[in-house]
Amino acid sequence: GQQVMQIPQYQHVQEGEDFTTYCNSSTTLSNIQWYKQRPGGHPVFLIQLVKSGEVKKQKRLTFQFGEAKKNSSLHITATQTTDVGTYFCPSNTGNQFYFGTGTSLTVIP
Amino acid sequence: GAGVSQSPSNKVTEKGKDVELRCDPISGHTALYWYRQSLGQGLEFLIYFQGNSAPDKSGLPSDRFSAERTGGSVSTLTIQRTQQEDSAVYLCASSSIGLATDTQYFGPGTRLTVL
């Protein structure tokens, strides 16, 4: 099945710095979703990308889907303390989802 | 209800006891997932229900774990003879019809502590 590797596993940034997390697959993905889990909370859906080369923005967050549909990135501009949490790009095999460990973002005020 | 609900929110039990965790999915959602998240770890897939189809139990870690979904709605995850390594947050999610492109809506989770 599809396995998506996410890097980095941990990232500490100073408030105001930018942050990027990457998801890479060895196989072509039909789609990719991004979720965010705040500390002590549950994962919440952020966005879905379906088209090759697709770019979507949500305020300071920019999501990209690679041309080959094998990788994706989430970029946060000028991080804020509210961005703290773990970001996941789950892979799926059939209708099973594998969230893995995600990227844990710490923002230092 | 407006979202996925889970009960109890916290459960403390003694090693060897059985526990039942409940999940109420969003009304009308036919797909339901159970995950486990140990402290500082990612989400581990446990089981998947879709409509009246046989559930996908491939993620259950041992035969002490079982789950059922009655009437295509409420689901119960049962852990028999609990062990300390079962301590974790158990998350339930539902989606519309279980497609890979469907959004999963998560409940707040049940924090299980096995003493």
Side-chain angles (χ1 to χ4, degrees):
Chain A
Q2 296 174 339
Q3 287 294 324
V4 175
M5 301 300 295
Q6 191 170 353
I7 55 171
Q9 188 171 356
Y10 302 98
Q11 184 76 58
H12 291 68
V13 299
Q14 204 73 36
E15 188 174 17
E17 292 182 339
D18 292 356
F19 159 77
T20 306
T21 175
Y22 302 89
C23 288
N24 300 303
S25 172
S26 57
T27 59
T28 301
L29 302 169
S30 57
N31 65 295
I32 193 156
Q33 297 179 338
W34 287 90
Y35 290 76
K36 176 184 178 181
Q37 182 177 25
R38 295 180 183 273
H42 57 273
V44 174
F45 174 80
L46 292 177
I47 210 160
Q48 176 166 252
L49 304 172
V50 179
K51 299 177 182 178
S52 169
E54 189 170 14
V55 178
K56 288 187 177 181
K57 292 190 176 184
Q58 290 180 352
K59 297 182 180 178
R60 295 178 294 102
L61 277 61
T62 302
F63 303 83
Q64 292 188 333
F65 203 9
E67 293 290 341
K69 300 182 72 173
K70 288 186 176 181
N71 52 68
S72 180
S73 65
L74 158 58
H75 179 82
I76 302 178
T77 303
T79 53
Q80 299 176 359
T81 55
T82 54
D83 296 324
V84 166
T86 301
Y87 295 84
F88 296 95
C89 56
S91 59
N92 62 77
T93 300
N95 293 314
Q96 290 186 23
F97 286 76
Y98 299 89
F99 279 73
T101 55
T103 294
S104 175
L105 173 65
T106 300
V107 179
I108 305 164
Chain B
V4 178
S5 61
Q6 292 186 245
S7 61
S9 55
N10 281 285
K11 177 70 177 179
V12 179
T13 190
E14 293 180 347
K15 177 181 174 181
K17 300 284 189 182
D18 297 352
V19 295
E20 284 189 354
L21 312 180
R22 177 187 169 107
C23 172
D24 282 84
I26 291 174
S27 178
H29 279 191
T30 62
L32 187 148
Y33 307 79
W34 281 99
Y35 298 90
R36 177 171 70 173
Q37 188 170 34
S38 301
L39 187 62
Q41 301 298 310
L43 274 70
E44 175 188 5
F45 167 81
L46 297 178
I47 189 168
Y48 163 71
F49 294 91
Q50 169 51 41
N52 296 320
S53 303
D56 180 341
K57 305 179 181 181
S58 59
L60 294 178
S62 77
D63 58 8
R64 296 186 296 103
F65 288 72
S66 63
E68 62 177 22
R69 189 178 184 191
T70 54
S73 181
V74 172
S75 178
T76 302
L77 177 68
T78 301
I79 309 173
Q80 295 179 311
R81 306 180 302 281
T82 51
Q83 303 295 313
Q84 289 184 335
E85 60 263 28
D86 298 334
S87 296
V89 175
Y90 289 81
L91 291 160
C92 172
S94 72
S95 70
S96 180
I97 58 175
L99 294 179
T101 51
D102 286 346
T103 298
Q104 290 191 48
Y105 296 88
F106 284 81
T110 294
R111 182 176 298 278
L112 175 65
T113 303
V114 182
L115 301 176

